[in-house]
Amino acid sequence: MSSINESPKSPQKATIADVAKAAGVSKTTISRYLSGDYKSISAGTLKRIEEAIAELRYRPNRMARGLRQARSYSIGMIFADISNPYSTSVLRGAEDVCTRNGYSIIVCNTDNDPVKEKNYIAMMHAHRIDGLIIHPTGHNKDILSEMADEQIPVVLIDREIPGLAFDMVGTDNYGAMSEATRFFLDQGYQRIGFFSQPIKHVSSRTERFLAFSDVLRNADHPSAKDLYEFEIRKSEQLEAQLDRFIAETDGQSRMLFAVNGITQLKLINALQKRGLSIPEDMGIAGFDDSDWAPVVGSGITTVEQPTYEIGQKAMEKVLQRLGGDDGEKERIALPGKLIVRGSTPSQLKKI
Amino acid sequence: MSSINESPKSPQKATIADVAKAAGVSKTTISRYLSGDYKSISAGTLKRIEEAIAELRYRPNRMARGLRQARSYSIGMIFADISNPYSTSVLRGAEDVCTRNGYSIIVCNTDNDPVKEKNYIAMMHAHRIDGLIIHPTGHNKDILSEMADEQIPVVLIDREIPGLAFDMVGTDNYGAMSEATRFFLDQGYQRIGFFSQPIKHVSSRTERFLAFSDVLRNADHPSAKDLYEFEIRKSEQLEAQLDRFIAETDGQSRMLFAVNGITQLKLINALQKRGLSIPEDMGIAGFDDSDWAPVVGSGITTVEQPTYEIGQKAMEKVLQRLGGDDGEKERIALPGKLIVRGSTPSQLKKI
DNA sequence: GTGGTTAGGGGAATCGATTCCTAAAAGCCG
DNA sequence: CGGCTTTTAGGAATCGATTCCCCTAACCAC
């Protein structure tokens, strides 16, 4: 077609062959130029190539390159809930690393639905993604291990999947939660309710509750078993659990701990609805330092997760695996940070 | 290689040729099967193909298909700020439509940096994305129109770019802001400050301020020109502007209007820092109905944008263009919704 | 039985880059 | 200056699907 229509502003995309012709060299030489193999090109040739590329507005076709090299230069990211700021922050971290290395990101959002997750993994597969970073629902072991069988590096974020040896990057949940729980003890709360979506199948939630429970048990605190679970989509469950906690702890100095940011918000909402004020009637704290945490009431005490760094580390791990490292799978736990604000004042004076 | 290693669990990916051999037909027939052209395949052949595909765990390679068909089946999305919940919600809407139609999304985040934006557009180009949805910084007219020259459908979200005829999907800023401003008038505020990042180059902000200004001017209200601009990254600018507003409106009943969610948060923070309480000392309202809006103080009055629908519509528009529609470019303005909460009580009793 | 149509399917070129192997030209040494 | 290495470069196969064009057998009508 290029022989028929040689108009200078042809909308046809230039190919490597067009560039070669324009520069008076072979495709091989252009390809060498593109892959940065400058040392086998003479200065004159180099200049002609650069001119030809500029003139033709040539852009290498990644699909062609990908086909030949059997790699796509894209990394898949599958999030359980993309609307969670946690996800976005991880995405940003991953993206920055990714772009610096010439890769692109293909994203999907599963809404915590294992069926969606399954389909997305299949789609990523068809795209021949070079690696996968996934915030897993926890229910697709088989397909994930299939990817691993095909030598596609898979890195989990936030959650481990028991029985699957994958690299994993997340917060040091046990450590951060222990520190937070000790702080709550020091503040003198008589009862602490741990509010969470079902902790089963989700390692991060389990670890948090475990740390909470361990610390309280070691201190002979009555709340060591105070786990209040609910489905996030069913707010009546959250409300019922809250009412149960309120009834069970009547008259004591008490606080709520939310396993994540969204739970914090729902609890705060429910408290307001009941006319209970923070922190007078009830303290509150939780995982995830949302941007609104400083401005609600006199500020909400939170555990900040190193989300951006998690994204970075996860992507670095993928690239490292792509680089040929097949050492043992690693579990990277980045430290969280307790941020104390007005929602958890000391109760000791009251006693 | 498959002739050397025929082990059943070979990690080698099966190709269409492998499937063809296993099913005892030609590649052509497999390809027909893959593209859903069942009517030129006999029942027996069909069955053998399906068995072969299942047995070999065959997954068509999208890059190969893309190369031949000159389309990638992926849509690029470039966000000015992915950490803004606005973006995530748009992304979700777009993603749902996209996936239903067999496309994938490649995402990037520019941090409102025109240079990053430029690079990302180039990268998308190399990926041969079939279409682009972009929340533009407003500074890369040339490259964007280059994409259009190459027949790649581009749909803008939230912001228009003057001089460029692209499809655009956003909120009906003028309408929603007019309604909100009339409401504030009815509440009897004597002064209203419009706080915004620089409105120049960003059509959505401009429209909002225009509506605000028009409504107030028509009502002979003194705040028709009360625009307070600042760079979001420089909080001292925001603080200075706020102090200016406070000084200029001393003794009057007053409120702040924030051009978007992030500005709301910064203003609330700054007010708290000054010991000013909402809504007693100052009312506040703003664009974007964040999830925390109901729980801050007695709730923040907001203008909710139809973000999910914007994402859907934008993606639908891209697909429609890909389907061959080259009718006139459209400007789709979806209605916003004023949500009144405690932060903007009536001032009339005070007067 | 002949001509024509249709169902079912195959051969081979093709998309745009990469890569292996080969080869001409240039530089170097004694 | 002849033989050596090094530099610079090209030819052609290749990646995995799609697609154009062609072919055969069966069926149908007359």
Side-chain angles (χ1 to χ4, degrees), chain A residues 15-16 31 58 61 65 68:
Chain A
T15 73
I16 201 173
S31 177
Y58 169 72
N61 183 327
R65 153 187 287 224
R68 179 65 234 242

Side-chain angles (χ1 to χ4, degrees), chain B residues 32 36-42 46:
Chain B
R32 278 199 262 261
D37 182 11
Y38 301 124
K39 67 178 184 310
S40 29
I41 307 178
S42 70
L46 198 68

Side-chain angles (χ1 to χ4, degrees), chain B residues 15-16 31 58 61 65 68:
Chain B
T15 74
I16 201 173
S31 178
Y58 170 71
N61 182 326
R65 155 186 287 221
R68 178 67 233 243

Side-chain angles (χ1 to χ4, degrees), chain A residues 84-95:
Chain A
N84 189 328
Y86 175 91
S87 305
T88 333
S89 183
V90 169
L91 174 57
R92 288 193 58 186
E95 199 220 9

Side-chain angles (χ1 to χ4, degrees), chain B residues 110-121:
Chain B
T110 63
D111 278 330
N112 270 301
D113 174 351
V115 177
K116 270 194 173 186
E117 184 179 63
K118 184 173 172 174
N119 291 336
Y120 279 136
I121 295 174

Side-chain angles (χ1 to χ4, degrees), chain A residues 75-79 81-99 104-109 133 135 157 306-312 314-315, chain B residues 77 79 81-83 87-88 91 105-109 120:
Chain A
I75 305 293
M77 291 192 78
I78 300 183
F79 290 99
D81 177 11
I82 189 76
S83 56
N84 189 328
Y86 175 91
S87 305
T88 333
S89 183
V90 169
L91 174 57
R92 288 193 58 186
E95 199 220 9
D96 286 352
V97 172
C98 194
T99 313
S104 311
I105 292 182
I106 299 181
V107 233
C108 293
N109 169 50
I133 295 177
H135 188 194
I157 51 178
T307 48
Y308 184 87
E309 291 76 16
I310 289 174
Q312 284 185 309
M315 187 58 75
Chain B
M77 291 192 77
F79 290 99
D81 176 12
I82 189 74
S83 56
S87 304
T88 333
L91 174 57
I105 293 182
I106 298 181
V107 236
C108 294
N109 170 52
Y120 279 136

Side-chain angles (χ1 to χ4, degrees), chain A residues 6-12:
Chain A
E6 288 284 0
S7 75
K9 286 192 179 175
S10 156
Q12 273 316 327

